[in-house]
């Protein structure tokens, strides 16, 4: 048994590493300028329904500034999952998606209303944002699960592998459904184009016949033909 479990323990990390490339993990660091009425800066990532999303935002220091964060999606309803004002230092936020599409982490950097600053000073204000977004299996804390359920290292890797495989299967099912939807749309479009072509042909034929009878009756009235 020991000899059979050893190759498995060597293969599992490689499989997990391979499947991890199929997952959505986003990490970005940028400067967020401050304004009296700032525009939103959104970072978008695709996500499936009922997917766990963990957002870790590290906000750098900055005087006379307030950073607000909002997590939304790209659905027609534009669901707002979370909205928080004045985040500082490290903030860890968790949501569960409701619909298919993209999840957006949107930030605004406000200049304090009571700050007495010149235009030049306001133009120099900004804060460094370090944003880390984990979606799906990557958002699950397997170390906490292992401690809670007293799992061994191999069992923890198996649990990770199970989550990764489930996400790959869900992604394949989503792609299959989308392909079926596109096929139906393509078939429906082709059918409509075909019907429109037949309608155009019949209309032109009818118009041509009407013109012939109209000209024939006109020439008869003018005694140009019998």
């Amino acid at each position: 048994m020991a000899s059979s479990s050893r190759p498995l323990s060597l293969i599992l990390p490689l499989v997990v590493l391979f499947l991890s490339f199929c997952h959505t993990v986003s990490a970005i660091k940028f400067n967020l300028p401050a304004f009296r009425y700032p525009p939103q800066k959104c970072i978008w990532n695709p996500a499936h329904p009922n997917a766990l999303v963990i957002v870790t935002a590290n906000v750098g220091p900055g005087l006379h500034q307030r950073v607000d964060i909002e997590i939304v999606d790209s659905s027609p309803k534009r669901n707002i999952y979370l909205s928080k004002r004045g985040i500082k230092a490290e903030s860890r936020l968790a949501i569960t998606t409701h619909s298919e599409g993209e999840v957006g982490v949107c930030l605004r950097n406000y200049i304090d209303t009571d700050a007495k600053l010149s235009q030049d000073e306001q133009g120099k204000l900004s804060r460094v944002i370090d944003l880390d977004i984990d979606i799906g299996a990557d958002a699950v804390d397997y170390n906490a699960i292992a401690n809670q359920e007293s799992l061994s290292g191999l069992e923890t890797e198996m649990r990770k592998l199970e989550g990764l495989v489930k996400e790959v299967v869900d992604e394949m099912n989503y792609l299959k459904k989308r392909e079926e939807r596109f096929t139906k749309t393509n078939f429906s479009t082709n059918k409509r184009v075909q019907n429109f072509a037949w309608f155009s042909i019949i209309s032109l034929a009818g118009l041509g016949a009407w013109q012939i009878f109209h000209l024939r009756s006109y020439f008869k009235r003018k005694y140009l033909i019998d």
Side-chain angles (χ1 to χ4, degrees):
M1 292 296 293
S3 60
S4 61
S5 61
R6 184 176 179 182
L8 183 61
S9 63
L10 295 176
I11 293 173
L12 280 176
L14 297 177
V15 176
V16 172
L17 179 63
F18 170 75
L19 291 176
S20 64
F21 287 103
C22 303
H23 293 185
T24 303
V25 181
S26 177
I28 185 172
K29 189 174 184 179
F30 56 92
N31 277 328
L32 187 64
F35 299 94
R36 293 289 184 185
Y37 304 99
Q40 272 190 339
K41 181 177 181 62
C42 296
I43 310 298
W44 296 93
N45 288 278
H48 297 302
N50 301 318
L52 176 64
V53 180
I54 301 293
V55 177
T56 305
N58 284 284
V59 181
L63 296 175
H64 310 300
Q65 300 169 69
R66 188 193 81 229
V67 176
D68 296 351
I69 189 170
E70 191 175 68
I71 302 178
V72 299
D73 64 21
S74 61
S75 67
K77 296 181 180 179
R78 193 172 175 82
N79 298 309
I80 300 177
Y81 296 100
L82 185 146
S83 182
K84 191 172 182 180
R85 293 165 53 93
I87 61 173
K88 299 177 181 178
E90 180 174 326
S91 298
R92 188 175 175 85
L93 312 169
I95 65 157
T96 301
T97 58
H98 301 325
S99 59
E100 190 73 48
E102 293 187 324
V103 173
V105 180
C106 301
L107 300 110
R108 282 191 171 102
N109 190 9
Y110 291 87
I111 298 176
D112 291 339
T113 55
D114 57 351
K116 306 299 182 181
L117 301 172
S118 65
Q119 290 293 332
D120 291 339
E121 290 174 332
Q122 292 182 20
K124 296 177 181 179
L125 293 179
S126 67
R127 300 182 79 170
V128 177
I129 308 295
D130 192 352
L131 199 62
D132 189 14
I133 304 171
D134 297 316
I135 299 176
D138 293 300
V140 179
D141 189 352
Y142 287 101
N143 292 327
I145 294 175
N147 293 331
Q148 183 179 1
E149 300 183 12
S150 300
L151 301 177
S152 65
L154 182 58
E155 289 173 331
T156 304
E157 292 298 326
M158 289 293 294
R159 186 68 64 87
K160 290 181 182 179
L161 183 59
E162 181 183 0
L164 295 174
V165 171
K166 183 181 182 299
E167 281 208 347
V168 172
V169 172
D170 291 342
E171 182 70 21
M172 294 298 294
N173 290 333
Y174 166 72
L175 293 175
K176 182 180 178 181
K177 291 180 181 178
R178 189 174 68 172
E179 183 181 359
E180 292 174 353
R181 186 169 65 248
F182 286 165
T183 301
K184 290 180 181 178
T185 303
N186 189 30
F187 177 78
S188 176
T189 303
N190 290 339
K191 190 67 176 178
R192 291 180 182 179
V193 171
Q194 185 179 6
N195 292 337
F196 178 75
W198 281 113
F199 173 77
S200 300
I201 292 172
I202 294 172
S203 299
L204 291 174
L207 181 61
W210 177 81
Q211 287 181 338
I212 291 173
F213 285 111
H214 176 72
L215 291 175
R216 184 179 178 85
S217 62
Y218 174 76
F219 289 148
K220 281 185 177 181
R221 288 197 304 268
K222 297 297 182 179
Y223 303 103
L224 297 176
I225 60 173
D226 296 332

